[in-house]
Amino acid sequence: MPDSQPQEPGRHGRAGANDETGGLVLSGARLADGRTVDVRVTGGRIEAVGTAGSLADTDSRARGTRVDLGGYLLLPAPAEPHAHHDSALTADVDGPPSLEPVDVQRRTTQAALLQLGHGATAIRTHVRIGDVTGLRSLQAVLGARRALRGLTELRVVAVPRQLTGAAGADGLAMLRDALRMGVDVVGGCPDLDPDPSGHAEAVLELAAEHGRAVDLHTDAPDPARLARLAAMAGGLRPHVTIGPCCGLARLPHDVAAHLAGRLATSGVSVVTLPQGGCVLDGSTGQPDTGGWVPLRLLRAAGVHVAAGSGALRDAANPVGRGDPLEAAFLLASRAEAGPEDAYAAVSADARRALGLPPVRVEAGFPAELLAVRGQTVPGVLSLGYSRVVLHRGRVVARTSAVREFCDAADAAGLDLPRQAQG
């Protein structure tokens, strides 16, 4: 069984090695198109891509900063478009999870580092504001964001419960305070407000006023409501994301197809969560496991769809892994997308949903990269344990896995391997 633990990356590099002394060369990496290349990184960007050996052997600036990626597939790094790190890693806690700021900050930091080890160099996490916590949890998550700067890009969404009526006045004031504190995205949860349309309108207006993106957390249980939301969001295109929208999976095909057209026209991004639900249903207190969006149908209509992880070992999903490659594996294994398109859902499409610049393994692009031991995209989605992660041009995490076997009783002469490598 694989035993994964942080390891130092390569014989000539270390986790956290930077390129300030003249560059980092990734040597012998395989690309998704089958080429084996060297990649030189400087200043947080890809400076050059050449045939294997052309950069590592001839460029004097690479001396001492070479990372051997022989046997690894080099890909654009994933991004996490929908996380809940303030409640992560609490599934084994007896009783309600602690809401003390020090505990929230610790959980957020640990969850972000866990996902960074999987390869996600950018993360958007939702944080509930109001109720008994007020802005304390948000303040703790913002503290984690500061502490993680340089390791991963943590973007924070403030999510109030209610924004309409007399009870919503406090929520609206708190959301304004959250913007002053420096949240990246204006969030909302229309499903929890007595006036869902009014809730969404308040979020959209506040986001337009402050020039921020919008991320609406909704199950999309009502087709008419979702259509209204899409129409309202059109004015802020393409800076509106909605998810997990698992109610779409429960609709008749013709209704879902009509809604797909409305969503495509509005220009919103939809985030699906193949690894499981991420919110507790307000009436039953049970995890929301209603399914994920029909990705093929939405993409055929022109909707931009990304995939995220959702809950990470909390009450909504006690076994959540927060692994983008698992999300892509599930999309591919259920025939919602081919392996390459499934990986794009957690990488290129997820970055687009977050408003991040595109990444390709080509000169001039940001050095946000993930190397996974394996030869092909299908191969690393099925069994990609060993990984090297680059953020802003430096190695920030590495995980190595080794599988070993004992001797077989009747294996004489068969020359069975004692160790299986990726």
Side-chain angles (χ1 to χ4, degrees):
M1 137 175 221
D3 178 22
S4 299
Q5 57 182 338
Q7 297 285 335
E8 291 192 352
R11 295 169 296 177
H12 302 276
R14 60 181 176 82
N18 59 47
D19 60 5
E20 292 175 359
T21 57
L24 185 72
V25 169
L26 313 175
S27 64
R30 184 181 179 91
L31 302 184
D33 62 11
R35 291 180 294 152
T36 301
V37 300
D38 289 348
V39 178
R40 183 169 62 237
V41 174
T42 57
R45 305 189 79 82
I46 298 172
E47 182 182 326
V49 178
T51 56
S54 64
L55 301 181
D57 293 340
T58 64
D59 192 339
S60 61
R61 293 178 301 168
R63 227 172 270 150
T65 58
R66 182 170 68 90
V67 178
D68 184 359
L69 291 183
Y72 281 78
L73 185 69
L74 187 62
L75 300 164
E80 173 53 67
H82 193 118
H84 291 266
H85 285 350
D86 56 333
S87 61
L89 309 174
T90 58
D92 297 329
V93 174
D94 293 329
S98 169
L99 298 178
E100 290 300 315
V102 64
D103 293 322
V104 173
Q105 183 168 344
R106 174 182 50 78
R107 292 197 297 261
T108 301
T109 303
Q110 290 179 339
L113 290 175
L114 179 63
Q115 290 202 287
L116 175 63
H118 291 321
T121 62
I123 299 166
R124 178 182 284 184
T125 184
H126 296 244
V127 184
R128 178 70 62 83
I129 62 173
D131 301 327
V132 297
T133 64
L135 294 170
R136 292 187 304 154
S137 289
L138 176 62
Q139 192 169 26
V141 173
L142 292 174
R145 183 182 69 179
R146 289 190 297 271
L148 290 163
R149 188 170 291 129
L151 288 176
T152 186
E153 185 168 348
L154 186 64
R155 296 192 171 188
V156 182
V157 187
V159 185
R161 184 180 183 88
Q162 188 170 341
L163 294 176
T164 64
D170 287 343
L172 195 57
M174 200 164 292
L175 189 53
R176 289 185 180 277
D177 288 340
L179 283 162
R180 284 190 285 269
M181 293 169 65
V183 298
D184 304 285
V185 183
V186 183
C189 194
D191 298 354
L192 299 180
D193 199 301
D195 181 2
S197 295
H199 184 105
E201 184 177 4
V203 169
L204 291 165
E205 288 181 354
L206 198 56
E209 176 186 338
H210 290 265
R212 305 293 173 87
V214 167
D215 198 318
L216 293 173
H217 193 303
T218 177
D219 181 39
D222 181 349
R225 185 193 303 173
L226 182 59
R228 285 195 299 272
L229 192 156
M232 293 165 60
L236 272 181
R237 60 183 301 166
H239 302 296
V240 179
T241 302
I242 59 174
C245 293
C246 50
L248 284 171
R250 299 188 286 268
L251 297 176
H253 182 273
D254 58 337
V255 177
H258 175 73
L259 274 174
R262 299 289 294 271
L263 290 167
T265 300
S266 73
V268 303
S269 295
V270 174
V271 173
T272 182
L273 304 176
Q275 297 175 86
C278 65
V279 293
L280 295 178
D281 182 274
S283 60
T284 66
Q286 297 300 311
D288 176 4
T289 56
W292 12 307
V293 304
L295 186 143
R296 284 190 181 277
L297 184 150
L298 291 179
R299 281 188 169 172
V303 181
H304 174 245
V305 186
S309 300
L312 201 169
R313 302 213 299 266
D314 65 14
N317 185 359
V319 295
R321 296 180 182 176
D323 185 353
L325 266 63
E326 183 185 42
F329 159 79
L330 290 169
L331 289 175
S333 67
R334 298 193 182 187
E336 284 291 335
E340 288 76 13
D341 285 342
Y343 186 76
V346 301
S347 55
D349 297 330
R351 288 184 64 85
R352 180 181 169 187
L354 299 186
L356 296 168
V359 173
R360 295 202 291 270
V361 188
E362 298 175 14
F365 283 88
E368 302 290 320
L369 302 170
L370 170 64
V372 189
R373 183 170 288 280
Q375 299 295 310
T376 64
V377 173
V380 301
L381 293 189
S382 66
L383 203 66
Y385 293 113
S386 297
R387 307 180 192 186
V388 180
V389 186
L390 278 82
H391 174 53
R392 297 183 182 176
R394 67 174 188 148
V395 175
V396 291
R398 175 160 180 158
T399 300
S400 295
V402 175
R403 177 181 283 120
E404 295 181 326
F405 304 97
C406 67
D407 289 323
D410 299 321
L414 295 180
D415 195 25
L416 294 179
R418 293 289 302 282
Q419 181 182 100
Q421 300 180 354

